[in-house]
């Protein structure tokens, strides 16, 4: 059962685990800041590149739910929060995300509870010699001491390794969709609700068999040099609303049925059921979940007809 880089990036950036970016950043080593003398003069921010990700709507006589696919990390400079997306958001009564990010202390406590090995067995001792050599080499490329993630479970090390690589390539959780939507909702006093908890999302990976977790980690280490280019490819598909290609990429990447069902199928089914229940209440909801959940054969939209509902693409 092979797990490839696409599955790792899909898991951390476009289909799941909105907590991954801040938690990885908090737990990964940081570089020393540049001296004041080395800083560039203050420059005007670059012009935004206009992009138009896909947006759907589900509605009846008195209820409207907008479905928007998010990317949890983006490079600065993409202008997606305008036009139809902004109009839909402004008209909404509430914002619904995969989860409402808990306070930092709570996040750290949960990460320590589930992402750290509770038996004291080190990460690197769980790998064979060949896999450990691949992992150590990847850590070296990122400038991180090989034993740095030894307290982590393999899945947590795999996600953190990938997140550090993406952040070193310019992908920033603060530029991600959730951060921007959350800030806008707070400014406009919109209620913010979560579909899941951080503990649930951590548990999605924590309950995977150890062998599968190690395969996940080692594949991330093998592909560390390609992380940025693959992520760029996924973001370009999202930015151009090419959901068909994104869905195909997801299917190619999540070759593990266990991982596919855990990350996508089961959660999408839960969310389709949530939408059905929400349609019984009047109002307008803007719902943003990882873009991978809105692409492919088991997308949220494809599960809605079972409830007598349909999602329509918004032209903008």
């Amino acid at each position: 059962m092979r797990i490839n880089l696409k599955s790792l990036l899909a898991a951390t950036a476009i289909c799941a685990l909105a907590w991954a970016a801040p938690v990885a950043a908090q737990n990964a080593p940081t570089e020393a800041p540049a001296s004041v003398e080395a800083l560039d003069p203050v420059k005007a921010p670059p012009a935004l590149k206009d992009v138009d990700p896909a947006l759907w709507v589900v509605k009846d006589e008195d209820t409207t739910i907008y479905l928007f696919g998010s990317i949890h990390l983006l490079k600065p400079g993409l202008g997606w929060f305008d036009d139809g997306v902004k109009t839909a958001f402004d008209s909404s009564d509430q914002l619904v995300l995969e989860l409402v990010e808990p306070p930092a202390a709570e996040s750290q406590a949960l990460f320590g509870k589930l992402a750290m090995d509770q038996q004291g067995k080190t990460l690197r001792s769980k790998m064979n010699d060949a896999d450990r050599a691949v992992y150590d080499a990847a850590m070296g490329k990122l400038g991180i001491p090989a034993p740095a993630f030894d307290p982590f479970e393999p899945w947590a090390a795999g996600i953190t390794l990938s997140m550090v690589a993406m952040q070193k390539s310019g992908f920033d959780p603060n530029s991600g969709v959730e951060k921007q939507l959350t800030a806008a909702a707070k400014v406009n006093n919109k209620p913010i609700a979560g579909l899941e908890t951080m503990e649930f999302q951590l548990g999605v990976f924590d309950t995977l068999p150890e062998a599968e977790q190690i395969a996940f980690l080692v594949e991330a280490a093998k592909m560390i040099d390609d992380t940025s280019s693959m992520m760029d490819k996924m973001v370009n598909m999202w930015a151009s609303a090419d959901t068909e290609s994104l869905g195909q990429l997801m299917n190619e990447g999540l070759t593990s049925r266990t991982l596919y069902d855990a990350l996508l199928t089961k959660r999408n089914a839960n969310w389709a059921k949530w939408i059905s229940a929400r349609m019984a209440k009047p109002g307008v909801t803007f719902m943003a979940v990882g873009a991978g959940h809105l692409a492919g054969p088991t997308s949220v939209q494809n599960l809605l007809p079972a409830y007598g509902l349909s999602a329509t693409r918004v032209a903008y």
Side-chain angles (χ1 to χ4, degrees), residues 48-84:
L48 292 179
K49 176 185 176 182
D50 183 57
V51 298
D52 299 307
L55 176 69
W56 290 264
V57 65
V58 184
K59 63 190 309 181
D60 60 19
E61 294 81 3
D62 59 359
T63 307
T64 298
I65 299 177
Y66 289 102
L67 298 176
F68 184 65
S70 71
I71 302 283
H72 302 319
L73 294 89
L74 288 169
K75 291 179 178 177
L78 290 180
W80 57 268
F81 197 12
D82 55 14
D83 301 330

Side-chain angles (χ1 to χ4, degrees), residues 19-47:
W19 56 268
V23 169
Q26 290 159 9
N27 286 278
T30 57
E31 297 177 358
S35 65
V36 174
E37 292 78 9
L39 296 176
D40 291 332
V42 176
K43 299 177 182 178

Side-chain angles (χ1 to χ4, degrees), residues 49-285:
K49 176 185 176 182
D50 183 57
V51 298
D52 299 307
L55 176 69
W56 290 264
V57 65
V58 184
K59 63 190 309 181
D60 60 19
E61 294 81 3
D62 59 359
T63 307
T64 298
I65 299 177
Y66 289 102
L67 298 176
F68 184 65
S70 71
I71 302 283
H72 302 319
L73 294 89
L74 288 169
K75 291 179 178 177
L78 290 180
W80 57 268
F81 197 12
D82 55 14
D83 301 330
V85 175
K86 185 69 161 54
T87 298
F89 178 84
D90 287 346
S91 71
S92 67
D93 306 315
Q94 69 168 161
L95 171 65
V96 173
L97 303 172
E98 289 186 32
L99 64 76
V100 177
E101 188 179 323
E106 183 179 337
S107 297
Q108 289 294 306
L110 284 170
F111 193 84
K113 175 185 174 183
L114 294 177
M116 305 294 183
D117 187 287
Q118 302 300 315
Q119 307 304 316
K121 188 177 180 180
T122 64
L123 171 69
R124 293 164 71 248
S125 71
K126 298 175 184 178
M127 292 182 268
N128 60 39
D129 290 344
D131 288 345
R132 192 181 308 108
V134 171
Y135 171 75
D136 288 354
M139 294 287 277
K141 289 179 180 179
L142 295 175
I144 303 173
F149 297 159
D150 266 359
F152 289 5
E153 296 281 8
W155 67 263
I159 287 177
T160 306
L161 191 73
S162 178
M163 298 298 298
V164 172
M166 283 190 278
Q167 289 180 284
K168 283 181 175 289
S169 298
F171 290 94
D172 182 3
N174 291 318
S175 296
V177 169
E178 286 81 8
K179 287 286 189 180
Q180 296 191 49
L181 289 176
T182 297
K186 289 180 177 178
V187 167
N188 291 280
N189 294 315
K190 290 183 190 292
I192 306 172
L195 296 164
E196 299 170 344
T197 65
M198 180 177 167
E199 186 165 12
F200 171 85
Q201 290 197 349
L202 284 164
V204 170
F205 271 113
D206 194 48
T207 54
L208 291 173
E210 184 174 280
E212 191 154 349
Q213 293 185 34
I214 292 172
F216 188 91
L217 167 60
V218 172
E219 191 63 28
K222 287 179 180 178
M223 304 297 290
I224 200 73
D225 291 330
D226 298 323
T227 298
S228 181
S229 60
M230 181 59 69
M231 189 64 187
D232 280 332
K233 184 177 182 180
M234 290 181 174
V235 170
N236 287 338
M237 291 176 182
W238 169 79
S240 60
D242 188 357
T243 54
E244 182 176 350
S245 295
L246 186 57
Q248 291 174 354
L249 196 65
M250 292 285 297
N251 288 335
E252 293 170 7
L254 288 166
T255 54
S256 162
R257 189 68 203 186
T258 300
L259 195 61
Y260 188 96
D261 286 342
L263 292 178
L264 290 172
T265 308
K266 294 178 181 179
R267 299 169 72 219
N268 291 355
N270 289 339
W271 298 351
K273 185 177 181 180
W274 183 93
I275 290 171
S276 176
R278 182 66 184 80
M279 293 300 292
K281 304 175 184 177
V284 181
T285 296

